[in-house]
Amino acid sequence: MVSMMGGIPPLTLQDVLDSAGRQIDKHLQEDKNYLDLSELLRIPSHSQPTQSGLMDIDYPSLLEAGMGLEGLTEMTSIKRVPLPPELVEQFGRMQCNCMMGLFPDIERAWLTIDSDIFVWKYEDGTDLAYFDGLNDTIQCAALVKPKPGIFQPHIQYLLCLATAVDIVLLGVSFARPFEGSSHDAGVGEMHLLPDPLFSIPTDNTGIFNIAGADNGRIFMAGKDGCLYELAYQAEDGWFSRKCRKINHSTSKLSFLVPSIFNFSEDDPLEQICIDNSRNILYARSEKGTIQVFDLGEDGRGMGKVAALSQNTVMMHAAAVARTVERSNFKQIVHLAVVTKSESYNIHLVAVTQSGVRLYFTTNQFGSSKGRPSLLTLVHVRLPPGFSASSTTQRPSNIHMAYHHRDTLMLVAPQNDDNDMLWAISSDSFPFQNQLMETQMTLPVDGKTWAMCESTIPHLPLPAATRSLSSRPDPPSVVTQHVKPPRRFIVLSAQGSHILQKLRPMEQLQQLLIECQGPDADEVKGFFRLHRIELACATCLAIACSRPLADQQVGDWARMAFFMYGGEAQYNFSVPSFGGHMAAANIGPASFSSGMQPAHMSTPAPHSFQQPFYQPGLTSLGSHSQEVIYSGKHNGICIYLSRILRPFWDSQVTTEFPCQTPQGMVTYLTSSYSSDNITTTLELVRDLLDFMDFNSRFDSGGPIDSMMPMMQFQSRMVGPLDEQTKKKLQAEAQRQEKISLQHIQDVLHRVEEVLGLWKVLFDHQFHVIASGLTKDQQNQLRSMSFKQLVISGKEMCNSLITCLINRYLDDNATIDAISKKLREVCPSLYSSDDATCSKSNELLQAARVNQNQQEKRKQLNEALRLYKNVNTPLQLPAVCSQFANINFYEGIVELCLTEARKLDPQDLASHFYQNGEPPEDTQGFQAYYHRMECYKCITEILGYLWSASVSHPQAPSVPKSPGPPPAPDPSRVAAPQADQYRTDILRMALKSEDALFHTSLYDWFFITNNSEKLLEIQTPYVEAYLKRKTQLHSGNVEALDMLWKYYEKIQNFPSAAKILSQLAERHSMDVPLQQRIEYLSRAIMCAKSSTSRIMSAAGGEFLHELEEKMEVARLQLQVQKALAKSLGPAIPHGDTRGLLVRLDSELLDITTLYEEYADRFDLSECKLAIVHCAGLYDNALIDNLWQSIIDKDFATNSAAAAQVRVTNISNHLVSVAKIYVNTERYFPVAFIIRHLEQKSCELNFDPNWVFRAMLDIGVAPPKLLEIYDRMFKSRDPYWQTRQKPLHLLVVLLSFLAHYSNNPNIIPTLERRRFSTVCLDAVSSYLVELQARSSADQTVKRLISQFKSLQSKLERL
């Protein structure tokens, strides 16, 4: 089965954090599985009241239940503080009355003796203050909060004193004032202002109870049964005085209240209590009537809602608890509000003289957001001693009570001189499905005069957590690690008796001290009472507690953690949910079955007699119920989740709108105070120290937290042998170690995030957050602490960057803050981050430094630091900073260094040289990262190139009217940019990084600056160009650059070969004309190479090039002729393809003849091809010439005669000159005969043919010979055309032309030619004279020939 891990990939850090985060989520959710008080009391609705207290399970006996505990101490005495000696003396002077009470808000007790009041610290009896400015006996005293904005800030409380005549408000201040937090209340010496702030008469109404609301309102209970309010304000109004007394029982609204709500003086009000969480006031009369007043949604209103008389309450209670005597519900002695933080559905509890608790609501269940509308009894809770089997004495004659947050304290007389205190609490039974409480009694010296809970301030929850909380506060076991234990003060004539409420954490401490260690039945009983994992979490709360008074207790708690925490187990059989998967804690089922403990599958070294707990089964992979984590593991997870509970799911920031000169600006502020962060950070570090110190977590050797967890086979077939069981057991323990390592990893991350947040808070978090981008601010706005820890590393890095930038913007050194960040969050701000920050600081200093030498030193030092950074840099950002200071050479050096660091094994070069195979992903990654580094260099080169050729001062149309825009100071001047470009290019070309040269040369091609390669002299250019041509055979630009490069370095043979390759390649991107140019250059290069070293191969190659050149020229001729013959019309089909082919490749001579010249009857081309090929066919050549001539005549048929003659003559001359020296391909006699026949037909000028022949270069003797032969051949053609003398006319013109231009014949040959001409003229005269003398044409010719004869004789 272990082999199944083979295919599982290792975990990443993100996977580890996610895994640990899920553990925290799981245990946070489990801690939320507590019930509302109404659910614990099993009240289905407000109209269906219930009862409890009659069953043993309501007040379970731990000893009888088999827990091994005689009972857990709920309350312990801390100290007894006697009355100050000065007060004892005052009792002797009493004449009328004395009273005692407590002001827990300022940790003071008070005593009135007649008209004097004394106030002192009940903790130590010091700081005695008094006021003796009254003349009448004080009947009532209360300490209330002042209304905001009315008194001076030093007045922090008001002391309200009522006599039979006056009601007086005194100001209370302290020597050391505090600002808005009760944390420092009463720390300094207390002062009572000597002069009353307000004083009003009582109007003969006795006041016996005063209560103040949190918003500063003061309410008074009148002896006449009315509820009064002492209203005060800063100034007199039109219709009101500064201070006045308002009767709310007989106000103008009293007509809305039924008459049964009006009470007479026979039933004075005795108690007022205010629910500040709901803004409801309750009043209790002497006869037990309960009244409800609605103070309004904002706490500023007043309206009587409902009232219940004592008899009505007793009747309702008796109807609910039918088996209980009605007398137990008589005489309500105390009212206590049940705030929203305690219950949503239950709002009030009344305590009777027999200790019965009566729970009330003012709303229908589920409508807690509405205002109070009724008062109805919903539950009756009987005190201990009412169950059938109970041996506990019932409380009776209760004369004082206190109830708050699941704790009830009752005071009853023990004898004539002393009282007995009952303490009842459910703290030992959290997460139950019904209310279960323990109880104990304590003797009180003397009679109790007052009793209350000390309001020791504790750290408030983060604002975001308070706003998100929609449930009552969790059980005390969830917050015991961070909140101080509750303290109660019982005041008697002997002094103050200070008691402390013990939670599971303090109870375990006490057990460890009493048993002198963890190896005791009582400690085991504690683990039985609580689930093992919860008991382990409590052990951690003790062991990790910093202010632990006794270190020995911490060690014992650590020992208990390991002794009873168990080990991880493999679940060999799927448990039955009806069996040992029952509730792990004590519950009704346990007691009904005789308190049989449940099964525990994680035996501890010191095993319990009856193990009772089965921890939750933990799923691995996609399977479930396979590995059961130990109590130690789950205890750590629970404790960590409780530490992080106020933070985990809360938003890390809150919005704070602020009015600025620019308008309303919304800042992001921290949701956590500095104290929140500091306290939680200490708890996290203590837990980390515990895990790091206790190597017993890792007794099996080191575990790689990145190792994946093994997936077990979820269903085993058949029984398992012992060896397999041992293997599975060992694997389960190994996986627990991995899970604990994950928890440790997330703890380290939490520690760093909290440490970072504290630093950010200390540096004005809202200013730092404003430096984020808008997107980052939106992301941070919606981010929870969990997201910040698990996946918020980038956000943390961004906040660190903003913090560092704030220092740099202030030109402050960052050494101190950098060191601090390295200490608190080394993984978020590494040594490399610190190095980068220092480099950044140097760059900022260099930017403003005017001393060039120092500036250069700072820049070089910044570069050195950046080069020493091990982690990948954000090169674009760094290069941008370098560029802003014109430190361009630093960019080149840094980028080349970074490229080497990113690819130390040079995988990219191997990838590049092997043709970039797609399967080489590792090589591709290295290649990609190096190219990104080089890109920074080419981008800055591009910028400088652009700046060096641009002209910002060039005139342009302004965008808007007004003065010209200021020049951009960040723009580099063109000459300077050109110099920078030259310098960094020179520096870059010195690099020995072949891959960088490749990147640089590629950039030259991309930016159309490839010609620059010809200016570069590096050993990498040739290899680069050769590879580029090999990989991309169609890259003409690369081939073009390669032959130019070869030509430049005088490697003419290679250049000739590349040029020949370019000319012959099959491609559309090289036109025919360009191919001819390539061949021409190739011939030149070949000749240059052969002129240096003559070789047979070189000569042969040159010969081949020349032959290719001839054929290429023929191809060009064919192309032009075909294009001319087709005209401007766009060819289609095959013809278009043939035209394209002429530009796509060099064709052989046969193809040119057969597929082009012959197919399209291109006579001139056919003649040229025949001539080039050296083929001779007399008839073919005559035919071709005839076709050429005929096409000329046909082409010019529309023109005038003279124009036709000129055009035909010009074209004929241009063609014939090519062949005039090769008689085989220029049949001059045939051509002249055909031309004369066409001329005869068209009556053209008889001179044009021989003139054309002379222009072509035919020798005059040759011409005379041809014409003479033609005339003497007696061709019948002329007779048929009726122009028998046409040739004589041409001969006459030709000879006359000679006589007029004898220079057409060389001087030495002129006489001989003249003789030939005279002989010819003589023969022509003989011929003419033999014809008819009547023909005028003949006569004219004879005359002209004779004249010519004379002229020739004179030559």
Side-chain angles (χ1 to χ4, degrees):
M1 278 174 284
V2 177
S3 63
M4 292 172 64
M5 291 182 60
I8 304 176
L11 300 176
T12 64
L13 177 59
Q14 188 61 54
D15 295 331
V16 169
L17 296 177
D18 287 337
S19 171
R22 287 191 294 271
Q23 289 278 4
I24 295 172
D25 288 336
K26 170 191 168 187
H27 291 286
L28 278 175
Q29 186 58 45
E30 288 179 356
D31 271 351
K32 292 178 183 177
N33 292 334
Y34 58 89
L35 302 180
D36 186 89
L37 179 59
S38 62
E39 296 169 316
L40 289 172
L41 297 174
R42 300 187 175 182
I43 308 171
S45 76
H46 71 283
S47 60
Q48 295 176 275
T50 58
Q51 67 165 338
S52 63
L54 291 172
M55 306 295 293
D56 289 339
I57 188 65
D58 294 323
Y59 299 100
S61 170
L62 300 181
L63 184 62
E64 294 174 5
M67 285 291 124
L69 293 168
E70 294 184 5
L72 287 174
T73 304
E74 289 294 330
M75 198 78 67
T76 185
S77 175
I78 299 297
K79 59 182 174 180
R80 300 173 189 268
V81 182
L83 295 178
E86 301 92 330
L87 292 184
V88 179
E89 299 175 5
Q90 297 295 327
F91 282 114
R93 302 175 186 175
M94 180 176 62
Q95 296 180 358
C96 298
N97 186 42
C98 73
M99 295 186 300
M100 292 178 72
L102 294 162
F103 296 149
D105 286 348
I106 58 173
E107 302 177 4
R108 291 327 193 255
W110 59 271
L111 166 69
T112 63
I113 296 179
D114 296 334
S115 61
D116 298 339
I117 183 169
F118 302 88
V119 184
W120 71 97
K121 282 187 177 181
Y122 54 67
E123 286 281 350
D124 53 14
T126 61
D127 191 25
L128 177 65
Y130 71 94
F131 180 75
D132 57 0
L134 300 179
N135 298 320
D136 300 290
T137 299
I138 297 173
Q139 297 178 339
C140 182
L143 186 78
V144 297
K145 295 178 180 179
K147 291 181 179 179
I150 293 181
F151 304 110
Q152 293 295 322
H154 68 276
I155 297 177
Q156 301 187 31
Y157 288 94
L158 301 176
L159 180 59
C160 186
L161 302 175
T163 68
V165 178
D166 295 315
I167 302 169
V168 177
L169 283 182
L170 298 176
V172 179
S173 63
F174 294 90
R176 206 163 66 201
F178 57 93
E179 298 180 2
S181 170
S182 62
H183 185 69
D184 296 325
V187 169
E189 184 180 340
M190 175 180 164
H191 296 285
L192 289 172
L193 273 64
D195 298 324
L197 300 171
F198 294 112
S199 177
I200 59 171
T202 60
D203 300 327
N204 296 321
T205 302
I207 302 297
F208 292 106
N209 189 248
I210 301 173
D214 284 349
N215 61 2
R217 296 179 72 178
I218 302 172
F219 297 98
M220 303 175 293
K223 186 177 181 182
D224 57 359
C226 294
L227 176 69
Y228 292 93
E229 180 177 359
L230 182 64
Y232 58 92
Q233 59 192 37
E235 300 291 341
D236 287 335
W238 285 98
F239 303 103
S240 60
R241 300 187 306 277
K242 278 188 179 182
C243 186
R244 66 191 189 281
K245 183 167 59 103
I246 302 172
N247 186 339
H248 286 302
S249 297
T250 57
S251 66
K252 293 179 180 180
L253 299 178
S254 61
F255 67 90
L256 297 175
V257 184
S259 60
I260 61 169
F261 289 176
N262 295 325
F263 306 99
S264 66
E265 192 172 345
D266 294 336
D267 191 15
L269 294 183
E270 278 196 347
Q271 182 189 0
I272 297 172
C273 57
I274 301 172
D275 184 352
N276 288 294
S277 67
R278 297 185 179 93
N279 291 322
I280 302 175
L281 182 146
Y282 304 97
R284 175 179 61 85
S285 72
E286 187 179 78
K287 294 181 179 179
T289 299
I290 304 172
Q291 302 178 54
V292 182
F293 294 86
D294 182 8
L295 301 182
E297 188 75 39
D298 59 357
R300 298 179 180 178
M302 171 56 74
K304 193 180 292 184
V305 175
L308 288 178
S309 66
Q310 170 75 56
N311 289 334
T312 305
V313 171
M314 187 170 62
M315 180 181 65
H316 289 169
V320 175
R322 297 179 185 275
T323 60
V324 180
E325 288 192 23
R326 293 180 62 152
S327 61
N328 289 293
F329 309 128
K330 277 186 178 180
Q331 194 57 38
I332 297 173
V333 296
H334 181 71
L335 291 183
V337 299
V338 181
T339 62
K340 280 184 177 181
S341 65
E342 297 175 75
S343 175
Y344 261 27
N345 291 323
I346 295 176
H347 303 161
L348 180 70
V349 60
V351 183
T352 70
Q353 197 170 24
S354 59
V356 176
R357 279 167 283 173
L358 305 174
Y359 292 92
F360 296 87
T361 185
T362 62
N363 270 118
Q364 297 181 6
F365 279 14
S367 59
S368 57
K369 291 186 178 180
R371 302 310 305 152
S373 59
L374 50 85
L375 181 65
T376 183
L377 178 69
V378 292
H379 188 80
V380 176
R381 177 75 173 184
L382 299 173
F386 275 82
S387 67
S389 60
S390 174
T391 58
T392 306
Q393 182 183 359
R394 301 178 185 177
S396 61
N397 297 320
I398 304 299
H399 65 86
M400 190 173 294
Y402 178 84
H403 182 278
H404 184 51
R405 283 166 47 199
D406 306 325
T407 297
L408 173 66
M409 297 178 67
L410 305 173
V411 178
Q414 187 177 20
N415 51 48
D416 292 341
D417 297 324
N418 299 307
D419 281 341
M420 176 68 71
L421 176 68
W422 292 71
I424 300 172
S425 173
S426 63
D427 282 355
S428 294
F429 305 103
F431 307 110
Q432 291 300 323
N433 58 5
Q434 73 175 69
L435 184 63
M436 298 166 59
E437 296 174 309
T438 56
Q439 54 85 24
M440 69 171 291
T441 56
L442 280 173
V444 178
D445 292 341
K447 290 294 182 179
T448 303
W449 289 39
M451 178 173 61
C452 72
E453 181 176 356
S454 174
T455 56
I456 297 176
H458 61 270
L459 204 59
L461 290 175
T465 305
R466 294 198 302 272
S467 63
L468 289 173
S469 177
S470 59
R471 304 190 61 214
D473 289 343
S476 63
V477 69
V478 175
T479 57
Q480 63 182 349
H481 62 283
V482 70
K483 289 185 178 180
R486 298 168 69 183
R487 303 180 75 178
F488 298 88
I489 297 89
V490 178
L491 192 62
S492 67
Q494 280 69 34
S496 54
H497 187 184
I498 299 175
L499 308 172
Q500 180 172 292
K501 173 73 179 67
L502 300 188
R503 302 162 300 178
M505 178 176 170
E506 290 81 33
Q507 289 171 343
L508 179 57
Q509 281 180 334
Q510 188 177 42
L511 288 175
L512 291 170
I513 292 171
E514 290 174 354
C515 302
Q516 286 296 295
D519 192 6
D521 290 339
E522 289 83 353
V523 178
K524 296 177 187 178
F526 183 87
F527 275 77
R528 287 193 184 96
L529 173 63
H530 296 274
R531 296 188 314 195
I532 289 183
E533 54 191 20
L534 294 179
C536 285
T538 302
C539 288
L540 285 172
I542 299 172
C544 298
S545 178
R546 287 195 177 192
L548 194 62
D550 188 353
Q551 185 59 44
Q552 183 64 59
V553 176
D555 294 339
W556 286 337
R558 185 181 298 107
M559 292 169 63
F561 176 84
F562 289 106
M563 288 175 68
Y564 306 128
E567 299 293 339
Q569 300 286 324
Y570 177 75
N571 189 30
F572 295 105
S573 60
V574 178
S576 167
F577 287 93
H580 60 269
M581 281 297 288
N585 214 336
I586 296 177
S590 303
F591 277 91
S592 62
S593 61
M595 191 62 186
Q596 292 298 320
H599 173 70
M600 184 188 77
S601 67
T602 55
H606 299 261
S607 60
F608 304 139
Q609 293 176 355
Q610 290 180 311
F612 77 99
Y613 173 51
Q614 164 87 15
L617 296 174
T618 301
S619 163
L620 292 179
S622 60
H623 308 295
S624 60
Q625 301 178 354
E626 293 163 349
V627 171
I628 307 169
Y629 285 148
S630 69
K632 293 180 296 187
H633 172 281
N634 292 340
I636 288 174
C637 294
I638 290 171
Y639 184 56
L640 174 59
S641 67
R642 289 174 178 174
I643 291 174
L644 299 179
R645 188 180 71 89
F647 290 78
W648 193 245
D649 291 316
S650 67
Q651 304 296 312
V652 294
T653 59
T654 52
E655 293 186 346
F656 179 75
C658 182
Q659 187 66 43
T660 66
Q662 291 75 31
M664 186 64 72
V665 177
T666 301
Y667 288 104
L668 287 181
T669 61
S670 171
S671 297
Y672 318 121
S673 68
S674 180
D675 289 340
N676 282 138
I677 302 167
T678 301
T679 302
T680 306
L681 190 55
E682 288 177 357
L683 292 169
V684 167
R685 285 173 175 165
D686 292 340
L687 180 56
L688 257 179
D689 291 343
F690 178 88
M691 294 185 71
D692 292 340
F693 177 77
N694 292 282
S695 58
R696 292 178 65 172
F697 285 133
D698 201 14
S699 58
I703 290 291
D704 185 1
S705 66
M706 301 302 179
M707 186 182 297
M709 292 190 176
M710 174 179 144
Q711 294 187 357
F712 289 99
Q713 184 175 339
S714 61
R715 189 177 297 275
M716 301 296 179
V717 181
L720 298 175
D721 56 53
E722 286 301 318
Q723 186 176 4
T724 303
K725 286 184 177 181
K726 287 181 180 179
K727 285 183 178 179
L728 290 172
Q729 197 67 29
E731 180 60 27
Q733 294 178 13
R734 188 188 73 87
Q735 292 194 19
E736 177 170 289
K737 290 178 183 178
I738 293 176
S739 179
L740 283 170
Q741 184 62 53
H742 293 178
I743 296 296
Q744 204 165 359
D745 290 340
V746 85
L747 257 175
H748 282 290
R749 176 58 63 86
V750 167
E751 178 191 23
E752 293 192 19
V753 171
L754 285 172
L756 170 62
W757 208 261
K758 178 72 166 61
V759 173
L760 296 172
F761 185 90
D762 294 341
H763 287 80
Q764 295 184 295
F765 180 89
H766 66 284
V767 177
I768 294 168
S770 64
L772 298 170
T773 65
K774 290 296 181 185
D775 288 343
Q776 288 173 331
Q777 288 184 30
N778 291 333
Q779 184 182 354
L780 184 61
R781 187 178 285 110
S782 61
M783 185 172 277
S784 67
F785 184 78
K786 171 187 173 181
Q787 292 169 329
L788 191 66
V789 169
I790 301 298
S791 57
K793 185 175 182 182
E794 288 186 8
M795 179 58 67
C796 291
N797 292 337
S798 299
L799 288 167
I800 290 173
T801 301
C802 292
L803 174 62
I804 296 296
N805 289 341
R806 188 176 176 214
Y807 270 79
L808 296 177
D809 292 342
D810 293 340
N811 293 323
T813 179
I814 63 165
D815 291 341
I817 188 62
S818 189
K819 181 181 178 183
K820 180 69 174 177
L821 290 171
R822 286 286 300 128
E823 291 173 357
V824 301
C825 50
S827 74
L828 299 175
Y829 186 74
S830 63
S831 58
D832 286 336
D833 293 326
T835 303
C836 290
S837 298
K838 184 62 181 177
S839 302
N840 206 355
E841 178 188 356
L842 289 168
L843 292 177
Q844 296 288 354
R847 183 193 298 274
V848 296
N849 198 338
Q850 300 300 317
N851 186 318
Q852 293 302 314
Q853 187 175 358
E854 289 183 5
K855 180 174 184 176
R856 173 57 59 175
K857 182 183 287 188
Q858 289 169 333
L859 291 175
N860 288 331
E861 178 63 14
L863 174 62
R864 185 189 66 80
L865 291 174
Y866 272 128
K867 287 167 65 176
N868 289 335
V869 172
N870 294 319
T871 54
L873 293 171
Q874 292 184 345
L875 267 184
V878 177
C879 292
S880 176
Q881 288 183 306
F882 279 12
N884 289 337
I885 320 174
N886 298 333
F887 188 37
Y888 298 108
E889 60 269 30
I891 294 176
V892 177
E893 190 172 342
L894 180 62
C895 291
L896 293 175
T897 303
E898 186 70 8
R900 286 194 298 272
K901 284 194 298 186
L902 290 175
D903 184 21
Q905 298 177 336
D906 206 19
L907 298 176
S909 296
H910 184 268
F911 172 77
Y912 174 76
Q913 290 164 2
N914 286 346
E916 304 175 18
E919 64 274 7
D920 184 6
T921 55
Q922 194 175 6
F924 170 76
Q925 287 293 330
Y927 179 80
Y928 172 79
H929 290 310
R930 285 179 66 171
M931 287 298 138
E932 288 297 304
C933 296
Y934 305 144
K935 183 180 178 183
C936 294
I937 300 177
T938 54
E939 282 181 348
I940 205 66
L941 265 176
Y943 163 72
L944 292 173
W945 211 303
S946 171
S948 65
V949 298
S950 61
H951 302 284
Q953 70 277 10
S956 61
V957 178
K959 294 181 179 179
S960 59
D968 185 359
S970 63
R971 188 174 182 87
V972 185
Q976 196 176 9
D978 186 61
Q979 184 60 46
Y980 285 137
R981 177 180 63 86
T982 304
D983 292 344
I984 69 170
L985 188 57
R986 185 187 303 113
M987 180 180 178
L989 292 174
K990 291 179 181 178
S991 168
E992 296 180 358
D993 186 344
L995 209 54
F996 165 66
H997 283 271
T998 298
S999 173
L1000 179 63
Y1001 303 160
D1002 278 339
W1003 178 78
F1004 280 136
F1005 272 97
I1006 292 169
T1007 56
N1008 297 320
N1009 288 307
S1010 54
E1011 294 293 331
K1012 287 289 177 182
L1013 287 176
L1014 301 179
E1015 302 173 10
I1016 293 173
Q1017 294 181 354
T1018 69
Y1020 307 103
V1021 176
E1022 181 177 358
Y1024 167 78
L1025 290 174
K1026 286 173 72 174
R1027 183 182 185 277
K1028 197 171 184 68
T1029 58
Q1030 290 166 1
L1031 281 182
H1032 310 285
S1033 57
N1035 193 329
V1036 177
E1037 192 176 9
L1039 287 167
D1040 212 34
M1041 288 306 304
L1042 186 56
W1043 77 259
K1044 290 177 181 177
Y1045 176 76
Y1046 280 141
E1047 188 180 57
K1048 180 190 174 186
I1049 63 173
Q1050 297 187 354
N1051 186 352
F1052 295 116
S1054 297
K1057 288 177 181 177
I1058 299 295
L1059 285 163
S1060 176
Q1061 182 183 343
L1062 276 169
E1064 295 178 36
R1065 61 192 304 275
H1066 191 314
S1067 171
M1068 281 296 299
D1069 49 7
V1070 182
L1072 181 56
Q1073 188 65 51
Q1074 183 66 45
R1075 294 174 191 274
I1076 293 173
E1077 289 182 21
Y1078 284 143
L1079 284 173
S1080 177
R1081 283 189 171 273
I1083 291 169
M1084 290 174 61
C1085 289
K1087 287 180 177 178
S1088 298
S1089 61
T1090 54
S1091 65
R1092 293 184 168 197
I1093 305 172
M1094 180 62 70
S1095 66
E1100 185 178 345
F1101 180 59
L1102 175 59
H1103 180 66
E1104 288 177 6
L1105 289 176
E1106 289 173 338
E1107 286 186 341
K1108 289 176 184 176
M1109 186 67 171
E1110 288 185 31
V1111 178
R1113 286 173 176 157
L1114 285 175
Q1115 186 169 328
L1116 181 62
Q1117 183 179 348
V1118 169
Q1119 184 187 48
K1120 291 179 179 178
L1122 183 57
K1124 184 178 180 182
S1125 68
L1126 294 175
I1130 298 175
H1132 296 284
D1134 188 38
T1135 305
R1136 180 181 179 82
L1138 288 169
L1139 270 176
V1140 170
R1141 189 181 177 192
L1142 288 171
D1143 256 342
S1144 303
E1145 59 181 317
L1146 289 180
L1147 304 176
D1148 60 76
I1149 201 164
T1150 304
T1151 304
L1152 287 174
Y1153 188 87
E1154 293 177 352
E1155 296 187 17
Y1156 290 91
D1158 192 39
R1159 178 174 176 178
F1160 295 98
D1161 194 22
L1162 306 177
S1163 304
E1164 291 182 39
C1165 296
K1166 286 196 279 186
L1167 180 61
I1169 292 169
V1170 170
H1171 175 260
C1172 181
L1175 299 176
Y1176 179 68
D1177 183 342
N1178 187 33
L1180 174 62
I1181 293 169
D1182 289 350
N1183 204 14
L1184 290 175
W1185 277 107
Q1186 181 176 341
S1187 176
I1188 292 169
I1189 294 168
D1190 290 346
K1191 284 182 181 177
D1192 270 354
F1193 277 93
T1195 304
N1196 294 279
S1197 59
Q1202 189 57 44
V1203 175
R1204 290 179 71 189
V1205 167
T1206 303
N1207 290 344
I1208 294 169
S1209 177
N1210 290 341
H1211 180 253
L1212 187 63
V1213 169
S1214 64
V1215 175
K1217 278 186 174 181
I1218 300 172
Y1219 310 101
V1220 66
N1221 295 322
T1222 53
E1223 295 185 8
R1224 297 171 61 185
Y1225 301 97
F1226 185 60
V1228 62
F1230 173 80
I1231 293 170
I1232 292 174
R1233 177 177 176 274
H1234 191 65
L1235 286 174
E1236 290 295 351
Q1237 287 178 353
K1238 300 295 286 184
S1239 180
C1240 179
E1241 289 177 14
L1242 299 172
N1243 292 319
F1244 283 179
D1245 179 10
N1247 297 330
W1248 79 273
V1249 176
F1250 74 80
R1251 286 181 180 272
M1253 292 300 126
L1254 289 174
D1255 290 341
I1256 289 169
V1258 181
K1262 182 70 173 176
L1263 273 179
L1264 179 59
E1265 179 187 348
I1266 292 170
Y1267 273 106
D1268 184 64
R1269 192 183 311 121
M1270 283 172 56
F1271 172 69
K1272 291 177 179 177
S1273 65
R1274 304 285 191 255
D1275 190 339
Y1277 172 80
W1278 311 108
Q1279 198 64 42
T1280 59
R1281 301 303 301 178
Q1282 298 181 358
K1283 288 189 178 180
L1285 302 177
H1286 174 76
L1287 290 176
L1288 284 176
V1289 173
V1290 174
L1291 282 165
L1292 174 64
S1293 299
F1294 170 64
L1295 294 172
H1297 176 74
Y1298 165 67
S1299 65
N1300 293 328
N1301 302 281
N1303 292 332
I1304 63 176
I1305 298 296
T1307 307
L1308 296 177
E1309 299 176 8
R1310 198 175 297 159
R1311 178 176 293 278
R1312 184 167 60 87
F1313 182 67
S1314 298
T1315 305
V1316 173
C1317 291
L1318 285 171
D1319 290 344
V1321 169
S1322 299
S1323 65
Y1324 303 147
L1325 284 172
V1326 171
E1327 186 67 31
L1328 285 170
Q1329 289 170 354
R1331 292 179 181 267
S1332 172
S1333 59
D1335 191 341
Q1336 295 300 319
T1337 302
V1338 174
K1339 289 181 179 178
R1340 188 176 67 256
L1341 281 173
I1342 291 172
S1343 171
Q1344 290 172 343
F1345 268 115
K1346 286 181 177 179
S1347 174
L1348 175 62
Q1349 189 176 31
S1350 302
K1351 201 170 185 178
L1352 286 171
E1353 289 174 348
R1354 288 196 295 270
L1355 285 177

